[in-house]
Amino acid sequence: MYISEMFQKKSCLFSLEVFPPKKEGAVQSVLYPALETMSALKPDFISVTYGAGGGMAGQSTAQIASHIKNELGIESIAHLTCVHSTREQVQETLAALRAANVENVLALRGDVNPDLPRCMDFPHASDLAAAVTAFGGFDVTGACYPEGHAECPSLRQDVENLRYKVEAGATHLITQLFFDNVCYYRFLNMARKAGITVPVHAGVMPIVNSRQIERTVKLSSASLPPQFTKMISRYADDAQGLYDAGIDYAIGQIRDLITGGADGIHLYAMNNADVVQRVYEGVRDLLPERAEKR
């Protein structure tokens, strides 16, 4: 099923994101068992990130997306990047996804890897989105940034650029992670005023260990509200305390977003089934249409 069709049936979707593990054999030994647990919660869909570098990088993404769709019975979205991928490589990946019955693609430019040659077959994510649309047989998702893309001079310009993705065929958008819901509401208001009417899925990542703080938070460039920084300071030397507090913070964020009218919640799961279960239990009362699926 196309994800765009789900938005027509439910007021707020609940979805997850996982990534292909780098360790050899970990897809089957680590990720698949975690996905088994996650799928029991009946998320609306699970997205799978794309490995860096193009070429062979998309094979594990396609494999995992196919497993989610065909073995677990949950709709999947395969991420697809173009920064290091040629037109031929993109065509091959799309053909493999179609053969695997994967119907949804998240079209991204992707992060630049200085160790790999930049490919300019698709200079922007909107160019890739147009190519996926032209290929046919896929529902296209686009990415958006509540606080603006790091390479864009202003949030307003970044919102204007989203028009190109929508015009290229993106039927809905998933946001970069954020920790301050005010940023999401401000961004959504700007997008609607700019004539962008497609659903906007809110991306939330529970911060449950210090490594995430050092890497993910800095790389995302997300602003840190006082409540969040106080939490980090309070549990700086308490690993279990940070784990619990990070989950509680995400639950609070999500509850506010759902009651505030968000089109959907996209939980950056980091392949951690326990985090997913605990967050879901903290918000499931606001998602009554899923109660009978347990």
Side-chain angles (χ1 to χ4, degrees):
M1 176 185 287
Y2 285 175
I3 304 302
S4 57
E5 296 174 352
M6 295 183 181
F7 283 107
Q8 298 172 15
K9 298 178 180 180
K10 296 180 180 178
S11 59
C12 182
L13 302 188
F14 181 77
S15 60
L16 311 173
E17 181 168 300
V18 298
F19 61 88
K22 291 183 180 180
K23 187 176 179 180
E24 185 176 354
V27 170
Q28 286 78 15
S29 65
V30 178
L31 180 58
Y32 281 6
L35 282 169
E36 192 78 31
T37 300
M38 294 179 198
S39 67
L41 303 177
K42 300 299 181 184
D44 290 296
F45 66 85
I46 300 176
S47 73
V48 186
T49 65
Y50 193 82
M56 299 293 289
Q59 291 190 4
S60 59
T61 299
Q63 172 193 348
I64 296 166
S66 175
H67 177 79
I68 293 168
K69 171 72 179 284
N70 300 307
E71 302 302 324
L72 300 180
I74 303 294
E75 202 57 64
S76 62
I77 293 181
H79 291 212
L80 181 62
T81 68
C82 59
V83 67
H84 299 297
S85 298
T86 65
R87 187 173 298 275
E88 290 74 21
Q89 288 170 335
V90 166
Q91 295 282 321
E92 289 173 4
T93 300
L94 291 174
L97 290 171
R98 178 185 285 175
N101 196 33
V102 175
E103 301 177 282
N104 299 282
V105 169
L106 173 56
L108 303 159
R109 188 201 69 175
D111 297 326
V112 176
N113 185 335
D115 297 324
L116 294 171
R118 177 81 182 269
C119 183
M120 296 303 293
D121 284 4
F122 306 99
H124 307 287
S126 56
D127 300 313
L128 178 61
V132 176
T133 300
F135 190 91
F138 294 99
D139 196 33
V140 182
T141 308
C144 59
Y145 304 85
E147 299 178 71
H149 192 282
E151 297 177 20
C152 196
S154 70
L155 175 59
R156 186 168 299 281
Q157 181 61 54
D158 199 36
V159 169
E160 290 295 329
N161 289 342
L162 283 177
R163 290 175 180 271
Y164 300 120
K165 290 185 182 180
V166 175
E167 291 170 359
T171 63
H172 57 284
L173 304 167
I174 297 178
T175 78
Q176 168 69 284
L177 64 91
F178 58 91
F179 302 103
D180 188 346
N181 286 1
V182 171
C183 296
Y184 173 81
Y185 295 128
R186 178 184 61 193
F187 165 81
L188 189 61
N189 183 53
M190 292 176 65
R192 297 307 185 224
K193 287 184 176 180
I196 299 168
T197 60
V198 299
V200 178
H201 223 64
V204 175
M205 177 183 284
I207 298 299
V208 296
N209 60 61
S210 58
R211 184 175 56 198
Q212 285 179 290
I213 300 170
E214 296 168 0
R215 297 183 60 187
T216 307
V217 175
K218 290 181 180 179
L219 288 173
S220 70
S221 300
S223 60
L224 307 180
Q227 183 183 357
F228 183 87
T229 56
K230 287 178 182 178
M231 176 190 76
I232 298 301
S233 298
R234 180 176 181 181
Y235 297 105
D237 300 315
D238 180 358
Q240 186 59 49
L242 178 58
Y243 188 91
D244 295 335
I247 291 173
D248 288 342
Y249 188 91
I251 289 172
Q253 251 196 291
I254 293 170
R255 293 186 68 86
D256 177 80
L257 289 165
I258 295 174
T259 56
D263 295 312
I265 303 299
H266 192 61
L267 189 66
Y268 292 101
M270 300 302 291
N271 297 0
N272 191 322
D274 178 68
V275 170
V276 171
Q277 285 183 303
R278 290 180 57 178
V279 170
Y280 178 78
E281 291 301 328
V283 304
R284 61 177 300 197
D285 61 304
L286 298 180
L287 300 168
E289 52 199 315
R290 288 168 184 76
E292 71 278 4
K293 296 182 180 180
R294 292 279 299 169

